[in-house]
Amino acid sequence: MKLSRKKIFVFIIILVVLYIIIYIIPKVTGALVSTYTVQYGEFLESDKVDGYFVRSEKVYVAGTTGEANYYFKNNELVRMSTKIMDVTAPEKEKTATKSSGGKAKEGETPIDREFEPIVKNLGENVTSTSNYMAEKEGLISFYCDGREAKFSPENMDKLKHKHFADLDPKDIVKLKRADIVKGEPVFKLVDRSKWYVVFYVDKDSGKNYEQNGYLTVRIDNQDFGGIVQSVNKEDDKYKVIVKCDEYFDKLTSIRVSKIQVITSRSLGLILENSSITKKKGITGVYVKDKVGEFKFVPVKLIFKGKDKSVVYKRSFYDKDGVYTISINTYDEILKTPKD
């Protein structure tokens, strides 16, 4: 059966259209070539981890029962012998009907169930006070979790990952309240001169941390600097302890939080590493010009990361001191050039 002229004509037209789509259009428009637009910005080399906060802190428990009157807000700096609060005897004696899982001595009000785990965990590592004065200078805190003694600067080197991983932000209890019972925690003092954040990173990230190295810790969009005190391998991870002395809003009220640890920060044009190549020994990228052709343009690295790198904008001086024109913001870069 012979094909009609009309069908042959249509078939030829289809072939021509396919040829144009496959071979002509890509050459003219670069439609099938993967590119991206380079942007100027800040590039951070960082790890997002759980941070565990360790401080020198002392918990005070009430030596009397009564109604509380506070003279300070949380995080205020107080000097030694400063009166933090008063507890005055109530008009009517409290009865033992206050919720408690423990037993109280006859004539005494039992401590609130909420504070029982804290008192148990602290043991003898507390200071009983009836005058409610600070025994030394420090930041006043009205938050407590009972881990103040265990998670201390003296113990942090001995503690393992499993100990830190068991910490729960929900264990933090607010201490400010209207009524106080003898034996309950009422406030604590925190050393403001230095504190620590402990975190764990995997083996690949561990190489970015060196003892005495400087880094930045970011929490809730607040940045503070720190010095790496130690880096130790623990099982398949690295335990990093950073010493800090800067103040931030939650310093006295958190034990564990999501943090971003910034080990390096660079400003410049941010390139994908896959687009960086070499031509005659010169490092560079291919940039799409106005007519759609790709031209090799030299670049100079400021920082090279795992997936992305930062390079100088517009120009740089090469290793021989020669002024060299380079790429600029919004240039269209070939994503994966062929060698």
Side-chain angles (χ1 to χ4, degrees):
M1 177 178 170
K2 294 184 179 181
L3 294 174
S4 65
R5 289 185 178 181
K6 184 176 181 181
K7 288 181 179 180
I8 293 173
F9 180 78
V10 171
F11 179 74
I12 292 172
I13 294 296
I14 292 174
L15 288 177
V16 172
V17 171
L18 288 174
Y19 179 85
I20 293 172
I21 292 174
I22 295 173
Y23 294 103
I24 304 301
I25 292 178
K27 290 182 178 180
V28 175
T29 67
L32 299 182
V33 178
S34 181
T35 63
Y36 65 94
T37 303
V38 67
Q39 301 283 345
Y40 185 87
E42 180 184 50
F43 180 80
L44 302 178
E45 184 84 339
S46 66
D47 292 299
K48 292 183 178 180
V49 294
D50 288 322
Y52 308 102
F53 294 84
V54 176
R55 305 165 288 249
S56 293
E57 45 195 349
K58 191 69 174 178
V59 178
Y60 289 73
V61 297
T64 56
T65 295
E67 297 174 355
N69 183 28
Y70 299 92
Y71 303 130
F72 290 91
K73 296 179 181 179
N74 195 68
N75 280 346
E76 285 194 79
L77 178 65
V78 297
R79 295 186 178 184
M80 185 174 66
S81 301
T82 300
K83 198 171 187 61
I84 307 301
M85 58 187 290
D86 270 320
V87 177
T88 56
E91 296 179 2
K92 296 181 180 180
E93 291 295 326
K94 295 181 179 180
T95 66
T97 56
K98 195 174 183 182
S99 62
S100 173
K103 294 182 179 180
K105 294 181 180 179
E106 187 175 350
E108 290 187 2
T109 303
I111 67 172
D112 195 289
R113 181 181 292 126
E114 184 179 26
F115 301 113
E116 286 179 356
I118 292 176
V119 173
K120 181 180 178 181
N121 287 330
L122 287 170
E124 296 180 356
N125 297 293
V126 296
T127 296
S128 180
T129 178
S130 296
N131 60 18
Y132 302 97
M133 297 174 69
E135 292 185 340
K136 60 180 180 179
E137 180 184 272
L139 293 170
I140 188 71
S141 174
F142 294 107
Y143 293 89
C144 182
D145 64 355
R147 271 74 174 194
E148 284 76 9
K150 182 176 180 179
F151 291 85
S152 66
E154 295 75 23
N155 294 336
M156 62 184 177
D157 287 321
K158 306 170 189 175
L159 296 172
K160 301 297 183 182
H161 189 201
K162 63 180 181 180
H163 299 122
F164 291 103
D166 285 340
L167 293 171
D168 190 336
K170 295 179 181 178
D171 291 337
I172 301 292
V173 174
K174 187 176 181 179
L175 301 181
K176 262 194 175 184
R177 55 203 186 274
D179 299 318
I180 303 294
V181 172
K182 181 180 178 179
E184 292 180 346
V186 284
F187 65 86
K188 70 181 180 186
L189 284 178
V190 178
D191 183 0
R192 66 162 181 162
S193 64
K194 61 181 180 296
W195 50 275
Y196 306 85
V197 58
V198 181
F199 56 91
Y200 287 81
V201 294
D202 59 29
K203 185 170 62 175
D204 290 338
S205 296
K207 65 179 182 296
N208 295 326
Y209 299 89
E210 294 183 359
Q211 189 169 349
N212 298 321
Y214 180 85
L215 49 72
T216 301
V217 178
R218 177 173 292 173
I219 175 173
D220 295 340
N221 294 320
Q222 281 190 281
D223 289 357
F224 47 84
I227 303 294
V228 177
Q229 177 163 300
S230 64
V231 183
N232 293 300
K233 194 172 187 303
E234 186 180 312
D235 298 328
D236 61 339
K237 293 183 178 293
Y238 281 87
K239 177 183 180 181
V240 184
I241 299 179
V242 177
K243 181 170 70 174
C244 308
D245 60 10
E246 295 183 41
Y247 172 84
F248 72 101
D249 291 346
K250 295 182 179 179
L251 173 58
T252 68
S253 60
I254 61 171
R255 181 71 62 195
V256 56
S257 177
K258 296 291 184 183
I259 63 172
Q260 182 179 9
V261 185
I262 302 168
T263 54
S264 174
R265 62 202 317 163
S266 305
L267 283 173
L269 296 177
I270 301 174
L271 292 173
E272 295 182 17
N273 285 347
S274 64
S275 63
I276 301 174
T277 187
K278 283 194 173 184
K279 184 176 181 180
K280 297 181 180 179
I282 299 174
T283 301
V285 293
Y286 282 90
V287 180
K288 192 174 183 179
D289 62 19
K290 294 180 180 180
V291 297
E293 297 292 332
F294 286 95
K295 292 177 61 178
F296 181 82
V297 179
V299 297
K300 184 176 181 180
L301 295 175
I302 297 173
F303 174 82
K304 185 173 184 179
K306 183 179 180 181
D307 301 310
K308 295 184 179 182
S309 294
V310 182
V311 300
Y312 287 94
K313 175 184 176 181
R314 195 175 292 121
S315 63
F316 62 87
Y317 288 94
D318 68 12
K319 62 181 180 179
D320 298 319
V322 177
Y323 181 78
T324 305
I325 299 297
S326 189
I327 63 174
N328 208 346
T329 310
Y330 306 125
D331 279 349
E332 192 171 350
I333 308 296
L334 183 62
K335 192 167 187 177
T336 313
K338 294 180 180 180
D339 295 332

